[in-house]
Amino acid sequence: MTTRLMALSRLARQVSRSRMTLSVAPRMAMASFSSEAALIPGVGKGKTSTGLVGLAVDHDAVPKMIVKYQALLDRMAESDMPEDAHYRIMVEKYARFRIKAAQENLDDPEKVEELCNCGQVEELVEQADDEMEVLEMYLKTRMWEQVNANVDIQENPSQEEDTVDWE
């Protein structure tokens, strides 16, 4: 056999082996993949789109929620905002709730979304970022000093006292 013919023979054997490997490899991959939880398109790790322009899927959104909402609580704790400021009370309340929901459902973003009832987990991360901006503005302007807590609120105003002509 000539060298050229031997080289072609070796190449043919390599190609034949690689085809055999390729035909066996997908079956082996399927077997190992099937032992794990199946991906469901659009759910959990199978989610490919939020359906919202400009908001990409983030498979790590739940842990990010915990970090960002805890950062909100930490920033308020280190500030000089009074503990009885209504804004502080409300932000602390929903931040703690969202942290708890995320911690209890780390592997189930749909459950976190259901419990929080304020959008997808990616949106909840964005909301935490937005709230941090509002908090910084609130602290910078010391807004709690400008809020009048002594406002007289009528719980059930009667229709007879209505002086506005709506027609």
Side-chain angles (χ1 to χ4, degrees), residues 59-95:
H59 294 292
D60 296 320
V62 176
K64 285 181 184 176
M65 279 179 58
I66 295 168
V67 170
K68 290 178 183 268
Y69 283 106
Q70 187 60 52
L72 273 170
L73 294 174
D74 294 344
R75 181 68 181 104
M76 279 191 288
E78 70 186 20
S79 73
D80 60 342
M81 185 189 315
E83 290 186 18
D84 64 342
H86 188 70
Y87 174 75
R88 180 176 182 155
I89 293 168
M90 296 310 294
V91 171
E92 285 179 347
K93 191 179 289 187
Y94 79 75

mmCIF file of all heavy atoms in Angstrom, residues 59-95:
data_model
loop_
_atom_site.group_PDB
_atom_site.id
_atom_site.type_symbol
_atom_site.label_atom_id
_atom_site.label_comp_id
_atom_site.label_asym_id
_atom_site.label_seq_id
_atom_site.Cartn_x
_atom_site.Cartn_y
_atom_site.Cartn_z
ATOM 1 N N HIS A 59 -32.058 34.078 35.332
ATOM 2 C CA HIS A 59 -32.310 32.858 36.095
ATOM 3 C C HIS A 59 -31.803 32.966 37.527
ATOM 4 O O HIS A 59 -32.068 32.085 38.339
ATOM 5 C CB HIS A 59 -31.704 31.651 35.386
ATOM 6 C CG HIS A 59 -32.364 31.357 34.069
ATOM 7 N ND1 HIS A 59 -33.663 30.913 33.975
ATOM 8 C CD2 HIS A 59 -31.930 31.477 32.801
ATOM 9 C CE1 HIS A 59 -33.996 30.763 32.707
ATOM 10 N NE2 HIS A 59 -32.955 31.093 31.970
ATOM 11 N N ASP A 60 -31.078 34.033 37.838
ATOM 12 C CA ASP A 60 -30.593 34.271 39.209
ATOM 13 C C ASP A 60 -31.356 35.415 39.873
ATOM 14 O O ASP A 60 -30.859 36.026 40.821
ATOM 15 C CB ASP A 60 -29.102 34.588 39.186
ATOM 16 C CG ASP A 60 -28.285 33.418 38.681
ATOM 17 O OD1 ASP A 60 -28.615 32.278 39.047
ATOM 18 O OD2 ASP A 60 -27.322 33.644 37.920
ATOM 19 N N ALA A 61 -32.535 35.716 39.399
ATOM 20 C CA ALA A 61 -33.288 36.862 39.910
ATOM 21 C C ALA A 61 -33.720 36.680 41.365
ATOM 22 O O ALA A 61 -33.721 37.647 42.127
ATOM 23 C CB ALA A 61 -34.514 37.125 39.030
ATOM 24 N N VAL A 62 -34.064 35.468 41.766
ATOM 25 C CA VAL A 62 -34.545 35.256 43.139
ATOM 26 C C VAL A 62 -33.440 35.562 44.156
ATOM 27 O O VAL A 62 -33.661 36.328 45.094
ATOM 28 C CB VAL A 62 -35.147 33.842 43.312
ATOM 29 C CG1 VAL A 62 -35.550 33.609 44.748
ATOM 30 C CG2 VAL A 62 -36.345 33.665 42.387
ATOM 31 N N PRO A 63 -32.222 35.013 43.996
ATOM 32 C CA PRO A 63 -31.155 35.394 44.941
ATOM 33 C C PRO A 63 -30.818 36.892 44.879
ATOM 34 O O PRO A 63 -30.513 37.505 45.905
ATOM 35 C CB PRO A 63 -29.952 34.556 44.506
ATOM 36 C CG PRO A 63 -30.505 33.435 43.705
ATOM 37 C CD PRO A 63 -31.790 33.934 43.114
ATOM 38 N N LYS A 64 -30.899 37.472 43.686
ATOM 39 C CA LYS A 64 -30.647 38.913 43.562
ATOM 40 C C LYS A 64 -31.682 39.724 44.331
ATOM 41 O O LYS A 64 -31.371 40.757 44.905
ATOM 42 C CB LYS A 64 -30.644 39.336 42.091
ATOM 43 C CG LYS A 64 -29.407 38.945 41.345
ATOM 44 C CD LYS A 64 -29.467 39.408 39.907
ATOM 45 C CE LYS A 64 -28.254 38.932 39.145
ATOM 46 N NZ LYS A 64 -28.334 39.292 37.720
ATOM 47 N N MET A 65 -32.931 39.247 44.319
ATOM 48 C CA MET A 65 -33.988 39.921 45.086
ATOM 49 C C MET A 65 -33.613 39.991 46.555
ATOM 50 O O MET A 65 -33.753 41.041 47.186
ATOM 51 C CB MET A 65 -35.312 39.144 44.979
ATOM 52 C CG MET A 65 -36.109 39.374 43.749
ATOM 53 S SD MET A 65 -37.611 38.357 43.786
ATOM 54 C CE MET A 65 -38.387 38.894 45.290
ATOM 55 N N ILE A 66 -33.141 38.882 47.091
ATOM 56 C CA ILE A 66 -32.798 38.827 48.508
ATOM 57 C C ILE A 66 -31.712 39.851 48.816
ATOM 58 O O ILE A 66 -31.828 40.620 49.773
ATOM 59 C CB ILE A 66 -32.340 37.398 48.896
ATOM 60 C CG1 ILE A 66 -33.504 36.415 48.728
ATOM 61 C CG2 ILE A 66 -31.795 37.375 50.319
ATOM 62 C CD1 ILE A 66 -33.110 34.955 48.807
ATOM 63 N N VAL A 67 -30.682 39.883 47.990
ATOM 64 C CA VAL A 67 -29.565 40.815 48.208
ATOM 65 C C VAL A 67 -30.028 42.261 48.119
ATOM 66 O O VAL A 67 -29.705 43.092 48.980
ATOM 67 C CB VAL A 67 -28.435 40.535 47.185
ATOM 68 C CG1 VAL A 67 -27.384 41.622 47.220
ATOM 69 C CG2 VAL A 67 -27.816 39.171 47.432
ATOM 70 N N LYS A 68 -30.810 42.578 47.100
ATOM 71 C CA LYS A 68 -31.205 43.977 46.880
ATOM 72 C C LYS A 68 -32.210 44.471 47.929
ATOM 73 O O LYS A 68 -32.113 45.608 48.386
ATOM 74 C CB LYS A 68 -31.755 44.148 45.469
ATOM 75 C CG LYS A 68 -30.651 44.026 44.428
ATOM 76 C CD LYS A 68 -31.170 44.140 43.025
ATOM 77 C CE LYS A 68 -30.071 43.933 42.024
ATOM 78 N NZ LYS A 68 -29.428 45.164 41.625
ATOM 79 N N TYR A 69 -33.163 43.633 48.302
ATOM 80 C CA TYR A 69 -34.117 44.067 49.329
ATOM 81 C C TYR A 69 -33.445 44.145 50.697
ATOM 82 O O TYR A 69 -33.786 45.006 51.506
ATOM 83 C CB TYR A 69 -35.361 43.174 49.350
ATOM 84 C CG TYR A 69 -36.296 43.510 48.215
ATOM 85 C CD1 TYR A 69 -36.430 42.686 47.115
ATOM 86 C CD2 TYR A 69 -37.022 44.699 48.222
ATOM 87 C CE1 TYR A 69 -37.265 43.016 46.058
ATOM 88 C CE2 TYR A 69 -37.863 45.036 47.181
ATOM 89 C CZ TYR A 69 -37.977 44.196 46.096
ATOM 90 O OH TYR A 69 -38.803 44.538 45.053
ATOM 91 N N GLN A 70 -32.455 43.280 50.949
ATOM 92 C CA GLN A 70 -31.702 43.384 52.197
ATOM 93 C C GLN A 70 -30.873 44.668 52.201
ATOM 94 O O GLN A 70 -30.742 45.316 53.238
ATOM 95 C CB GLN A 70 -30.801 42.156 52.390
ATOM 96 C CG GLN A 70 -30.122 42.129 53.739
ATOM 97 C CD GLN A 70 -31.109 42.104 54.901
ATOM 98 O OE1 GLN A 70 -32.006 41.272 54.933
ATOM 99 N NE2 GLN A 70 -30.965 43.030 55.840
ATOM 100 N N ALA A 71 -30.358 45.057 51.049
ATOM 101 C CA ALA A 71 -29.609 46.313 50.944
ATOM 102 C C ALA A 71 -30.514 47.506 51.277
ATOM 103 O O ALA A 71 -30.069 48.463 51.925
ATOM 104 C CB ALA A 71 -29.015 46.465 49.547
ATOM 105 N N LEU A 72 -31.770 47.445 50.855
ATOM 106 C CA LEU A 72 -32.731 48.495 51.208
ATOM 107 C C LEU A 72 -32.905 48.585 52.722
ATOM 108 O O LEU A 72 -32.861 49.675 53.307
ATOM 109 C CB LEU A 72 -34.098 48.214 50.580
ATOM 110 C CG LEU A 72 -34.366 48.701 49.176
ATOM 111 C CD1 LEU A 72 -35.666 48.107 48.659
ATOM 112 C CD2 LEU A 72 -34.409 50.198 49.117
ATOM 113 N N LEU A 73 -33.099 47.426 53.355
ATOM 114 C CA LEU A 73 -33.283 47.401 54.813
ATOM 115 C C LEU A 73 -32.038 47.911 55.531
ATOM 116 O O LEU A 73 -32.138 48.682 56.493
ATOM 117 C CB LEU A 73 -33.620 45.983 55.276
ATOM 118 C CG LEU A 73 -34.959 45.421 54.804
ATOM 119 C CD1 LEU A 73 -35.095 43.962 55.206
ATOM 120 C CD2 LEU A 73 -36.112 46.240 55.336
ATOM 121 N N ASP A 74 -30.863 47.507 55.053
ATOM 122 C CA ASP A 74 -29.612 47.945 55.668
ATOM 123 C C ASP A 74 -29.424 49.453 55.530
ATOM 124 O O ASP A 74 -29.002 50.123 56.468
ATOM 125 C CB ASP A 74 -28.422 47.213 55.050
ATOM 126 C CG ASP A 74 -28.427 45.725 55.341
ATOM 127 O OD1 ASP A 74 -29.157 45.291 56.258
ATOM 128 O OD2 ASP A 74 -27.707 44.987 54.632
ATOM 129 N N ARG A 75 -29.757 49.970 54.347
ATOM 130 C CA ARG A 75 -29.598 51.419 54.113
ATOM 131 C C ARG A 75 -30.527 52.211 55.028
ATOM 132 O O ARG A 75 -30.154 53.251 55.570
ATOM 133 C CB ARG A 75 -29.888 51.743 52.647
ATOM 134 C CG ARG A 75 -29.730 53.210 52.293
ATOM 135 C CD ARG A 75 -28.279 53.628 52.370
ATOM 136 N NE ARG A 75 -28.136 55.028 52.045
ATOM 137 C CZ ARG A 75 -27.930 55.991 52.947
ATOM 138 N NH1 ARG A 75 -27.833 55.694 54.231
ATOM 139 N NH2 ARG A 75 -27.813 57.245 52.568
ATOM 140 N N MET A 76 -31.747 51.731 55.225
ATOM 141 C CA MET A 76 -32.675 52.426 56.124
ATOM 142 C C MET A 76 -32.206 52.326 57.570
ATOM 143 O O MET A 76 -32.331 53.279 58.331
ATOM 144 C CB MET A 76 -34.094 51.865 55.984
ATOM 145 C CG MET A 76 -34.807 52.440 54.785
ATOM 146 S SD MET A 76 -36.558 52.058 54.751
ATOM 147 C CE MET A 76 -36.525 50.342 54.353
ATOM 148 N N ALA A 77 -31.655 51.178 57.945
ATOM 149 C CA ALA A 77 -31.198 50.981 59.324
ATOM 150 C C ALA A 77 -30.038 51.916 59.660
ATOM 151 O O ALA A 77 -29.950 52.417 60.784
ATOM 152 C CB ALA A 77 -30.788 49.530 59.539
ATOM 153 N N GLU A 78 -29.170 52.171 58.701
ATOM 154 C CA GLU A 78 -28.019 53.036 58.963
ATOM 155 C C GLU A 78 -28.338 54.522 58.796
ATOM 156 O O GLU A 78 -27.526 55.370 59.129
ATOM 157 C CB GLU A 78 -26.831 52.634 58.080
ATOM 158 C CG GLU A 78 -27.014 52.956 56.613
ATOM 159 C CD GLU A 78 -25.917 52.425 55.719
ATOM 160 O OE1 GLU A 78 -25.197 51.498 56.136
ATOM 161 O OE2 GLU A 78 -25.790 52.950 54.592
ATOM 162 N N SER A 79 -29.520 54.824 58.301
ATOM 163 C CA SER A 79 -29.897 56.227 58.097
ATOM 164 C C SER A 79 -30.464 56.825 59.386
ATOM 165 O O SER A 79 -30.693 56.116 60.358
ATOM 166 C CB SER A 79 -30.956 56.331 56.992
ATOM 167 O OG SER A 79 -32.197 55.871 57.463
ATOM 168 N N ASP A 80 -30.700 58.129 59.330
ATOM 169 C CA ASP A 80 -31.296 58.801 60.490
ATOM 170 C C ASP A 80 -32.807 58.993 60.329
ATOM 171 O O ASP A 80 -33.421 59.766 61.050
ATOM 172 C CB ASP A 80 -30.602 60.137 60.748
ATOM 173 C CG ASP A 80 -30.696 61.095 59.566
ATOM 174 O OD1 ASP A 80 -30.977 60.630 58.445
ATOM 175 O OD2 ASP A 80 -30.474 62.296 59.770
ATOM 176 N N MET A 81 -33.393 58.263 59.388
ATOM 177 C CA MET A 81 -34.842 58.330 59.219
ATOM 178 C C MET A 81 -35.500 57.715 60.458
ATOM 179 O O MET A 81 -35.108 56.634 60.897
ATOM 180 C CB MET A 81 -35.281 57.543 57.968
ATOM 181 C CG MET A 81 -36.763 57.688 57.692
ATOM 182 S SD MET A 81 -37.426 56.584 56.389
ATOM 183 C CE MET A 81 -36.252 56.686 55.091
ATOM 184 N N PRO A 82 -36.479 58.388 61.040
ATOM 185 C CA PRO A 82 -37.141 57.843 62.232
ATOM 186 C C PRO A 82 -37.837 56.517 61.929
ATOM 187 O O PRO A 82 -38.343 56.302 60.835
ATOM 188 C CB PRO A 82 -38.170 58.908 62.616
ATOM 189 C CG PRO A 82 -37.978 60.053 61.702
ATOM 190 C CD PRO A 82 -37.016 59.681 60.637
ATOM 191 N N GLU A 83 -37.850 55.651 62.920
ATOM 192 C CA GLU A 83 -38.460 54.337 62.737
ATOM 193 C C GLU A 83 -39.974 54.417 62.576
ATOM 194 O O GLU A 83 -40.592 53.479 62.073
ATOM 195 C CB GLU A 83 -38.097 53.422 63.901
ATOM 196 C CG GLU A 83 -36.635 53.037 63.878
ATOM 197 C CD GLU A 83 -36.279 52.023 64.940
ATOM 198 O OE1 GLU A 83 -37.196 51.362 65.485
ATOM 199 O OE2 GLU A 83 -35.083 51.891 65.224
ATOM 200 N N ASP A 84 -40.575 55.525 62.982
ATOM 201 C CA ASP A 84 -42.024 55.657 62.843
ATOM 202 C C ASP A 84 -42.427 56.409 61.576
ATOM 203 O O ASP A 84 -43.612 56.691 61.381
ATOM 204 C CB ASP A 84 -42.626 56.321 64.085
ATOM 205 C CG ASP A 84 -42.150 57.750 64.281
ATOM 206 O OD1 ASP A 84 -41.120 58.137 63.676
ATOM 207 O OD2 ASP A 84 -42.804 58.482 65.050
ATOM 208 N N ALA A 85 -41.468 56.699 60.694
ATOM 209 C CA ALA A 85 -41.799 57.341 59.415
ATOM 210 C C ALA A 85 -42.604 56.346 58.579
ATOM 211 O O ALA A 85 -42.207 55.185 58.424
ATOM 212 C CB ALA A 85 -40.535 57.761 58.681
ATOM 213 N N HIS A 86 -43.727 56.792 58.069
ATOM 214 C CA HIS A 86 -44.630 55.896 57.342
ATOM 215 C C HIS A 86 -43.939 55.239 56.147
ATOM 216 O O HIS A 86 -44.113 54.035 55.912
ATOM 217 C CB HIS A 86 -45.879 56.649 56.897
ATOM 218 C CG HIS A 86 -46.926 55.756 56.325
ATOM 219 N ND1 HIS A 86 -47.639 54.864 57.096
ATOM 220 C CD2 HIS A 86 -47.366 55.596 55.043
ATOM 221 C CE1 HIS A 86 -48.474 54.198 56.314
ATOM 222 N NE2 HIS A 86 -48.327 54.621 55.077
ATOM 223 N N TYR A 87 -43.149 56.001 55.407
ATOM 224 C CA TYR A 87 -42.425 55.445 54.257
ATOM 225 C C TYR A 87 -41.533 54.294 54.712
ATOM 226 O O TYR A 87 -41.505 53.230 54.089
ATOM 227 C CB TYR A 87 -41.599 56.540 53.574
ATOM 228 C CG TYR A 87 -40.711 56.026 52.475
ATOM 229 C CD1 TYR A 87 -41.235 55.661 51.240
ATOM 230 C CD2 TYR A 87 -39.338 55.898 52.660
ATOM 231 C CE1 TYR A 87 -40.424 55.196 50.229
ATOM 232 C CE2 TYR A 87 -38.517 55.428 51.652
ATOM 233 C CZ TYR A 87 -39.063 55.083 50.444
ATOM 234 O OH TYR A 87 -38.251 54.598 49.438
ATOM 235 N N ARG A 88 -40.798 54.496 55.790
ATOM 236 C CA ARG A 88 -39.896 53.455 56.296
ATOM 237 C C ARG A 88 -40.671 52.203 56.709
ATOM 238 O O ARG A 88 -40.281 51.082 56.395
ATOM 239 C CB ARG A 88 -39.088 53.991 57.476
ATOM 240 C CG ARG A 88 -38.138 52.960 58.043
ATOM 241 C CD ARG A 88 -37.278 53.542 59.134
ATOM 242 N NE ARG A 88 -36.348 52.558 59.634
ATOM 243 C CZ ARG A 88 -35.203 52.845 60.214
ATOM 244 N NH1 ARG A 88 -34.845 54.101 60.377
ATOM 245 N NH2 ARG A 88 -34.418 51.896 60.653
ATOM 246 N N ILE A 89 -41.781 52.409 57.393
ATOM 247 C CA ILE A 89 -42.593 51.277 57.845
ATOM 248 C C ILE A 89 -43.062 50.457 56.654
ATOM 249 O O ILE A 89 -42.955 49.219 56.648
ATOM 250 C CB ILE A 89 -43.798 51.773 58.681
ATOM 251 C CG1 ILE A 89 -43.308 52.383 59.988
ATOM 252 C CG2 ILE A 89 -44.796 50.652 58.917
ATOM 253 C CD1 ILE A 89 -44.371 53.158 60.746
ATOM 254 N N MET A 90 -43.566 51.130 55.627
ATOM 255 C CA MET A 90 -44.100 50.423 54.464
ATOM 256 C C MET A 90 -43.002 49.714 53.667
ATOM 257 O O MET A 90 -43.164 48.558 53.261
ATOM 258 C CB MET A 90 -44.870 51.387 53.553
ATOM 259 C CG MET A 90 -46.105 51.992 54.209
ATOM 260 S SD MET A 90 -47.196 50.778 54.999
ATOM 261 C CE MET A 90 -47.753 49.868 53.592
ATOM 262 N N VAL A 91 -41.869 50.373 53.447
ATOM 263 C CA VAL A 91 -40.784 49.746 52.684
ATOM 264 C C VAL A 91 -40.230 48.549 53.446
ATOM 265 O O VAL A 91 -39.988 47.493 52.862
ATOM 266 C CB VAL A 91 -39.675 50.768 52.348
ATOM 267 C CG1 VAL A 91 -38.456 50.078 51.761
ATOM 268 C CG2 VAL A 91 -40.200 51.815 51.378
ATOM 269 N N GLU A 92 -40.047 48.701 54.751
ATOM 270 C CA GLU A 92 -39.549 47.576 55.550
ATOM 271 C C GLU A 92 -40.515 46.401 55.493
ATOM 272 O O GLU A 92 -40.098 45.248 55.376
ATOM 273 C CB GLU A 92 -39.328 47.993 57.008
ATOM 274 C CG GLU A 92 -38.099 48.829 57.216
ATOM 275 C CD GLU A 92 -37.900 49.246 58.665
ATOM 276 O OE1 GLU A 92 -38.827 49.104 59.481
ATOM 277 O OE2 GLU A 92 -36.798 49.730 58.970
ATOM 278 N N LYS A 93 -41.798 46.698 55.544
ATOM 279 C CA LYS A 93 -42.814 45.642 55.544
ATOM 280 C C LYS A 93 -42.766 44.834 54.243
ATOM 281 O O LYS A 93 -42.691 43.610 54.269
ATOM 282 C CB LYS A 93 -44.199 46.263 55.743
ATOM 283 C CG LYS A 93 -45.284 45.255 56.022
ATOM 284 C CD LYS A 93 -46.635 45.923 56.227
ATOM 285 C CE LYS A 93 -46.663 46.668 57.533
ATOM 286 N NZ LYS A 93 -48.002 47.199 57.839
ATOM 287 N N TYR A 94 -42.795 45.515 53.097
ATOM 288 C CA TYR A 94 -42.823 44.741 51.856
ATOM 289 C C TYR A 94 -41.451 44.174 51.511
ATOM 290 O O TYR A 94 -41.347 43.106 50.899
ATOM 291 C CB TYR A 94 -43.484 45.498 50.694
ATOM 292 C CG TYR A 94 -42.660 46.525 49.986
ATOM 293 C CD1 TYR A 94 -41.658 46.165 49.107
ATOM 294 C CD2 TYR A 94 -42.924 47.878 50.147
ATOM 295 C CE1 TYR A 94 -40.922 47.117 48.422
ATOM 296 C CE2 TYR A 94 -42.201 48.834 49.475
ATOM 297 C CZ TYR A 94 -41.188 48.441 48.609
ATOM 298 O OH TYR A 94 -40.463 49.382 47.948
ATOM 299 N N ALA A 95 -40.356 44.820 51.922
ATOM 300 C CA ALA A 95 -39.026 44.261 51.665
ATOM 301 C C ALA A 95 -38.845 42.957 52.443
ATOM 302 O O ALA A 95 -38.360 41.959 51.900
ATOM 303 C CB ALA A 95 -37.944 45.265 52.029
#
